[in-house]
Amino acid sequence: MFSIDHLGIAVKSLAAAKGFYEKLGLTVSPEETVEAEQVRLVMVPVGESRLELLEPTSESSAIAKFLAKRGEGLHHVSLRVPNLTSAVEKLKREGVRLVSEEIKIGVGGHHYVFVHPSSAGGVLLELVEASR
């Protein structure tokens, strides 16, 4: 079944962003770093979905470039898919442009791939499947 896994939000200061959501009374996960993406992040559970707060750890990271160009805000929408491999194969057959041709492993062992905004109505779309 498809569902919204999380909304990725680019922030300049993880500490400041976490503080805001904690003031709302939400629980914030411990910080994690994803070296491959050059980001530090926390997850904020909200109902059946989550907010992912992303702070760059390098000026050359995608999040740092996003912040420099657009400022803080919504970076991507993540959809949970039942079978990521078959979804990616189908999208490739349909000529959908992916940011990377390979499925990567992220926080919590989740497998993911990003669909390029040019193929998804201007939205950076992440497809994710729970760890296998």
Side-chain angles (χ1 to χ4, degrees), residues 9-16 31-33 37-42 52-58 61 63-64 67:
I9 301 171
V11 300
K12 293 178 184 172
S13 166
L14 201 51
E31 289 185 19
E32 298 185 54
T33 300
E37 299 290 345
Q38 300 175 341
V39 295
R40 189 171 20 262
L41 64 88
V42 296
E52 179 183 46
L53 307 178
L54 301 152
E55 175 189 79
T57 58
S58 161
S61 73
I63 294 298
L67 287 168

Side-chain angles (χ1 to χ4, degrees), residues 6-119:
H6 66 270
L7 302 176
I9 301 171
V11 300
K12 293 178 184 172
S13 166
L14 201 51
K18 282 175 22 179
F20 170 76
Y21 290 100
E22 289 168 341
K23 287 175 188 168
L24 281 175
L26 295 169
T27 303
V28 176
S29 75
E31 289 185 19
E32 298 185 54
T33 300
V34 180
E35 298 294 340
E37 299 290 345
Q38 300 175 341
V39 295
R40 189 171 20 262
L41 64 88
V42 296
M43 291 292 198
V44 182
V46 181
E48 306 227 346
S49 187
R50 303 172 293 169
L51 300 177
E52 179 183 46
L53 307 178
L54 301 152
E55 175 189 79
T57 58
S58 161
E59 290 301 314
S60 62
S61 73
I63 294 298
K65 292 174 185 172
F66 179 90
L67 287 168
K69 187 174 182 180
R70 296 189 179 90
E72 293 183 302
L74 184 63
H75 178 260
H76 66 272
V77 173
S78 178
L79 295 181
R80 189 176 308 129
V81 299
N83 185 316
L84 185 56
T85 302
S86 69
V88 167
E89 288 170 359
K90 181 178 180 183
L91 292 175
K92 285 181 181 179
R93 280 194 309 273
E94 297 290 331
V96 171
R97 184 175 171 196
L98 302 176
V99 172
S100 169
E101 293 292 314
E102 70 180 72
I103 294 173
K104 297 181 181 180
I105 299 175
V107 172
H110 285 65
H111 292 75
Y112 70 95
V113 68
F114 281 97
V115 177
H116 196 277
S118 65
S119 290

